[in-house]
Amino acid sequence: MPECAEYDIYVPEGIQTSYIGFHIDEFLQGARALDPVQWERGFTSLQSIHNGQQPALRSAITEWLQSTQMFTAATPAQSEQFKRQLLQQVVHIATAKSVDPADLSLAERIQAFHTCRKARNYIEECFGLDIIPSISDICTVVGVSERSLQYAFRSYVNMSPLAYLRSCRLSRVRSALRASDASSTTVTAVAMHFGFLHLGRFARDYKQVFGELPSLTLESEF
């Protein structure tokens, strides 16, 4: 939706509403990084997006609503991180395309290998600087579309870029919990620091990967 566009929203009586807005330049910057061909131009009117991502959008909205109570007393840094993650989720859902299996040529496989290696190196550099990169960030630095990044990661690490990022963040949380003092640190603080806003889902995924709850990791002595 372009700036200063007028629109009407009907809200039935008794319904509580929440609104999230992003600057169009921020949205387009992320969208162009993921899909430069489709999003290279701006828009002068309202756009309706149909890409089969309604379930993903519903899931994201549910997660956002469940996370809002955590941010009633959030610090400015936490609020900014929350906003950034919401923007990245919206951009990813809006630009999502199915990745069809393809028989890559030798040259394409070599390029995919280099793409994956460059992306993984960049991700490690970001975590070393205590930064959580987004898929848009990775596409911009590596210089590929999200579709090419998907091919590269599925070919060489057998998972999507998002799944790989989440795995890296879980590992970082585990390392931080093992190095922390339970008397001065909480699981919530560490999880939020690494971008996990839905604590229930985080705890479930953490236990599935590491075989124990994050609270046990924090309380353990190594």
Side-chain angles (χ1 to χ4, degrees):
M1 183 171 63
E3 289 183 291
C4 303
E6 295 186 1
Y7 60 95
D8 295 319
I9 298 178
Y10 170 71
V11 181
E13 183 178 356
I15 298 297
Q16 183 176 356
T17 60
S18 299
Y19 300 93
I20 300 173
F22 306 108
H23 195 283
I24 190 171
D25 290 340
E26 294 178 328
F27 176 88
L28 287 177
Q29 181 180 3
R32 286 165 179 159
L34 297 179
D35 190 354
V37 175
Q38 179 67 26
W39 294 86
E40 61 183 0
R41 62 183 177 83
F43 298 100
T44 58
S45 61
L46 293 176
Q47 300 293 313
S48 179
I49 299 173
H50 301 280
N51 61 1
Q53 291 297 306
Q54 289 87 347
L57 181 59
R58 284 195 296 269
S59 177
I61 291 174
T62 299
E63 183 173 328
W64 301 340
L65 293 177
Q66 291 175 340
S67 302
T68 52
Q69 293 182 351
M70 298 168 50
F71 290 88
T72 55
T75 66
Q78 289 172 334
S79 297
E80 185 61 30
Q81 183 187 63
F82 186 47
K83 178 181 177 181
R84 185 170 182 268
Q85 288 205 0
L86 290 184
L87 172 60
Q88 290 303 321
Q89 283 186 291
V90 170
V91 170
H92 192 267
I93 290 171
T95 60
K97 292 182 178 179
S98 60
V99 179
D100 300 322
D103 294 326
L104 301 180
S105 67
L106 177 59
E108 290 172 326
R109 289 186 180 279
I110 293 175
Q111 181 60 45
F113 170 77
H114 288 297
T115 294
C116 187
R117 183 172 64 178
K118 187 174 181 179
R120 293 174 69 184
N121 288 340
Y122 171 68
I123 291 170
E124 287 301 312
E125 291 175 3
C126 286
F127 280 119
L129 297 173
D130 205 24
I131 298 172
I132 303 173
S134 67
I135 299 300
S136 297
D137 296 332
I138 298 170
C139 288
T140 299
V141 170
V142 179
V144 297
S145 68
E146 185 186 17
R147 193 176 187 82
S148 296
L149 194 68
Q150 290 270 13
Y151 279 136
F153 270 78
R154 291 194 180 280
S155 296
Y156 290 99
V157 294
N158 198 31
M159 63 176 65
S160 70
L162 276 177
Y164 181 82
L165 265 180
R166 187 172 185 84
S167 176
C168 290
R169 287 160 53 211
L170 284 170
S171 295
R172 293 282 173 167
V173 169
R174 182 169 177 80
S175 296
L177 290 175
R178 296 180 69 174
S180 298
D181 185 344
S183 64
S184 59
T185 304
T186 66
V187 170
T188 297
V190 175
M192 289 179 62
H193 179 77
F194 287 98
F196 292 100
L197 306 179
H198 192 307
L199 296 182
R201 179 185 174 192
F202 157 72
R204 183 183 67 246
D205 291 349
Y206 186 97
K207 184 175 182 180
Q208 182 178 8
V209 173
F210 302 114
E212 65 181 14
L213 291 173
S215 56
L216 292 179
T217 304
L218 179 59
E219 294 168 359
S220 300
E221 295 183 2
F222 296 92

